[in-house]
Amino acid sequence: KEELALQLINNSQHEPQLYQHSYFRSTIVLILVLLMIMVLIGIAHALVIYRAVAMALFMQSEVSLLSKHADTIAVMTGAVLHYLTIVIMTKVNWHVALFLCSLEKPRTFSQRENNFTVKIFIFQFFTNFSSLIYIAFFLGRINGHPGHYVRIAGHWRLEECHPSGCITDLFIQMAVIMVLKQTISNIMEYLIPWISHQLRKKKKSPKKRSMMLGEEEEAEDPCKRQWLNNYELNEVNVFSLFNEYLEIVIQYSFTTIFVAAFPLAPLLALINNVIEIHMDAIKMMRLRRRMVPRKAKDIGIWLQVLEAIGTLAVIGNGLVIAITSDFIPVQVYKYMYSPCARENHTSMDCSTGYINNSLSVFHIRDFEPHTKVLPEFNGLCCRYRDYRNADDYTYTVQFWHIFAARLAFLILFEHVALCVKLIAAWYIPDVPQKVKNVILKQKHSNLQNELRWVMPWKVPR
């Protein structure tokens, strides 16, 4: 309605653009979006291959530091590489989302903005979180077991979890990405506009007029000087603030979806926001031109995006606690397999013996045929993290008990968290009462002023 009113003000002969829908165009856009998502997932697979190859190379290195900490170094270098892909793919995602929006031919600017917001958020979500999702829920669970490993190109084994658990790998990955995003990205976000402003200032500053003999210098108009200073500022467009919104939404995703694995994420986000508030203020007030204000009743499609992130956060943290961490296996061991459960001991720690219970037995003679094993080791066995039988390497009954407990915890956790979310949304008002009362008084005052003109005898002065 407001856009139509502005168009009529600018052009009284303006004809409204009618609503239209094309199934062919929508199908093309959907196919292209799915292809882009597959490309982003493929990049995550490439990072998985890199970590597997890097860990194998680091373990064969003659440097003792690399060989001893090959898994940790592979995860850290993979996280740095993931950050570089985020920086590169952010630019690509931006252009692809704009291209898809132009294919859709939206009727109004607000519709174009909403469509662009949804697409760029989906692309950025897969760019930022595909690798994290693999580490959280697939790392160490699809690589097979001794004697039957899953290998890349028949040569490199898929990487294992950290000896302390898969949640450590997720912690390292998130820590590296968040630290790099909040340091390098913020520095570049301020440095690039500053350099651009300095270049524009040098390029467009008027040259001083040479003084002729006997000619008096003309006093410079202060208003003209201010206009020139404003003109030398960096240009802005309708999407200038869009990056700021998107950055906050992605940061909110980092601090909520996997917060169970990285509890420091909210603290890092708080420190980053305190610093970035001042940097953005300097950037917007001193380096960029003023934006044309545009009226809006709310934050638009961003509200639905934040609600979707809240739902994903409940599901993600439930999966991290139930699947990635050792919380459920420890509880199952305490109440079903520990000495406390068998002998009703109350004076001892019920988690005693958990590490030994969580390790399965593998016989050295059952290695793959191409694995070189010395004859004197054929009768020996080794231990590895899993719940498998020692004879045929099938899953034990304890594995299925843990699986059932994880599924039950996940369902219970999600329902309780969603119920708490709904109760909080009902209990806490969306708009503070003080704001509502101020708006009510303003409406009442405006109506009284209007009635004085229509029916002055009914409105007391």
Side-chain angles (χ1 to χ4, degrees):
K1 182 179 178 180
E2 294 173 357
E3 292 183 23
L4 186 59
L6 290 175
Q7 290 169 349
L8 287 173
I9 291 173
N10 295 328
N11 182 13
S12 60
Q13 304 299 324
H14 172 75
E15 293 293 334
Q17 186 175 355
L18 301 179
Y19 291 93
Q20 57 182 353
H21 178 73
S22 173
Y23 289 100
F24 175 76
R25 191 181 297 116
S26 300
T27 304
I28 295 298
V29 171
L30 179 60
I31 292 175
L32 293 178
V33 168
L34 294 177
L35 288 176
M36 188 63 186
I37 292 175
M38 291 176 62
V39 169
L40 297 176
I41 295 176
I43 294 175
H45 289 168
L47 294 174
V48 173
I49 296 174
Y50 164 79
R51 283 195 292 265
V53 176
M55 186 172 63
L57 295 178
F58 289 151
M59 292 183 67
Q60 298 172 2
S61 175
E62 297 179 356
V63 181
S64 59
L65 179 64
L66 295 178
S67 59
K68 289 181 181 180
H69 304 282
D71 52 350
T72 304
I73 296 176
V75 171
M76 294 184 66
T77 54
V80 174
L81 190 60
H82 183 200
Y83 168 75
L84 295 177
T85 60
I86 291 175
V87 174
I88 296 172
M89 292 308 299
T90 297
K91 305 296 184 181
V92 177
N93 294 339
W94 186 275
H95 293 289
V96 172
L98 284 176
F99 173 73
L100 294 177
C101 286
S102 62
L103 284 181
E104 288 181 324
K105 295 183 179 179
R107 194 181 65 88
T108 61
F109 174 79
S110 59
Q111 184 180 358
R112 176 185 177 87
E113 188 178 28
N114 292 341
N115 295 345
F116 178 77
T117 301
V118 172
K119 290 178 180 59
I120 192 65
F121 172 75
I122 293 175
F123 294 158
Q124 286 295 95
F125 180 85
F126 280 96
T127 301
N128 286 271
F129 295 102
S130 293
S131 181
L132 296 177
I133 291 174
Y134 167 78
I135 293 176
F137 309 128
F138 297 99
L139 178 63
R141 295 174 178 83
I142 58 175
N143 54 348
H145 57 84
H148 192 269
Y149 284 117
V150 177
R151 297 181 182 271
I152 300 174
H155 184 67
W156 295 288
R157 280 175 46 191
L158 291 178
E159 57 181 329
E160 301 279 350
C161 290
H162 192 273
S164 61
C166 296
I167 202 167
T168 303
D169 298 282
L170 184 59
F171 178 90
I172 295 174
Q173 184 90 353
M174 289 193 63
V176 173
I177 293 175
M178 287 201 69
V179 169
L180 290 178
K181 282 179 67 67
Q182 295 181 357
T183 53
I184 299 177
S185 295
N186 285 345
I187 292 174
M188 297 303 296
E189 184 181 347
Y190 177 81
L191 192 60
I192 292 176
W194 182 82
I195 295 176
S196 177
H197 173 61
Q198 295 299 321
L199 294 176
R200 287 174 60 90
K201 191 175 181 180
K202 290 182 179 180
K203 181 179 179 181
K204 297 187 177 181
S205 59
K207 297 181 179 180
K208 291 185 177 180
R209 185 165 52 90
S210 59
M211 298 291 295
M212 299 293 293
L213 184 61
E215 183 180 3
E216 296 182 359
E217 183 178 1
E218 182 181 356
E220 186 177 14
D221 186 1
C223 293
K224 181 180 178 182
R225 181 67 261 172
Q226 183 64 37
W227 295 338
L228 291 175
N229 290 337
N230 292 337
Y231 182 72
E232 292 166 358
L233 297 175
N234 296 325
E235 296 181 358
V236 295
N237 52 49
V238 292
F239 288 112
S240 293
L241 288 179
F242 190 88
N243 281 330
E244 307 297 335
Y245 279 101
L246 184 62
E247 182 181 359
I248 292 297
V249 169
I250 295 299
Q251 183 190 79
Y252 177 66
S253 303
F254 270 103
T255 56
T256 54
I257 295 179
F258 294 109
V259 68
F262 189 49
L264 289 177
L267 178 61
L268 293 179
L270 175 63
I271 297 174
N272 171 76
N273 291 341
V274 171
I275 297 174
E276 192 170 1
I277 285 174
H278 297 85
M279 293 180 64
D280 286 345
I282 297 173
K283 179 176 64 178
M284 294 178 184
M285 299 300 296
R286 300 181 183 178
L287 302 179
R288 286 182 178 176
R289 298 176 185 174
R290 307 297 181 261
M291 294 192 64
V292 177
R294 189 160 57 91
K295 187 176 180 181
K297 62 179 180 180
D298 51 28
I299 60 175
I301 194 66
W302 291 109
L303 180 60
Q304 284 75 27
V305 172
L306 292 175
E307 289 179 351
I309 294 174
T311 304
L312 290 175
V314 173
I315 299 174
N317 285 289
L319 289 172
V320 167
I321 298 173
I323 297 178
T324 310
S325 70
D326 290 335
F327 174 75
I328 298 300
V330 169
Q331 300 305 315
V332 171
Y333 174 77
K334 282 184 178 181
Y335 294 104
M336 296 186 64
Y337 298 94
S338 67
C340 298
R342 295 195 304 265
E343 304 174 8
N344 293 326
H345 288 296
T346 57
S347 59
M348 64 181 303
D349 186 4
C350 293
S351 61
T352 302
Y354 167 72
I355 299 297
N356 186 60
N357 178 264
S358 64
L359 299 176
S360 298
V361 177
F362 174 76
H363 299 284
I364 302 296
R365 62 176 181 271
D366 294 333
F367 264 124
E368 294 99 327
H370 62 271
T371 304
K372 296 181 180 180
V373 180
L374 297 177
E376 56 268 24
F377 293 113
N378 279 332
L380 300 179
C381 61
C382 61
R383 307 293 297 276
Y384 63 100
R385 285 176 63 94
D386 210 341
Y387 296 93
R388 294 181 181 271
N389 295 307
D391 49 358
D392 55 358
Y393 304 108
T394 57
Y395 288 118
T396 62
V397 176
Q398 186 175 355
F399 169 83
W400 297 109
H401 288 167
I402 294 175
F403 179 80
R406 282 173 168 168
L407 184 61
F409 172 82
L410 179 61
I411 296 174
L412 180 63
F413 177 85
E414 290 182 357
H415 281 71
V416 171
L418 289 176
C419 288
V420 171
K421 177 178 176 294
L422 293 175
I423 293 174
W426 167 80
Y427 187 76
I428 301 174
D430 295 335
V431 181
Q433 299 297 321
K434 183 178 180 180
V435 176
K436 288 183 178 180
N437 291 330
V438 171
I439 296 176
L440 178 61
K441 291 179 179 178
Q442 290 178 351
K443 289 182 178 179
H444 183 266
S445 177
N446 293 336
L447 289 175
Q448 277 188 336
N449 293 332
E450 292 177 3
L451 286 175
R452 284 194 182 99
W453 290 97
V454 180
M455 294 181 292
W457 59 90
K458 287 192 175 183
V459 180
R461 293 185 178 274

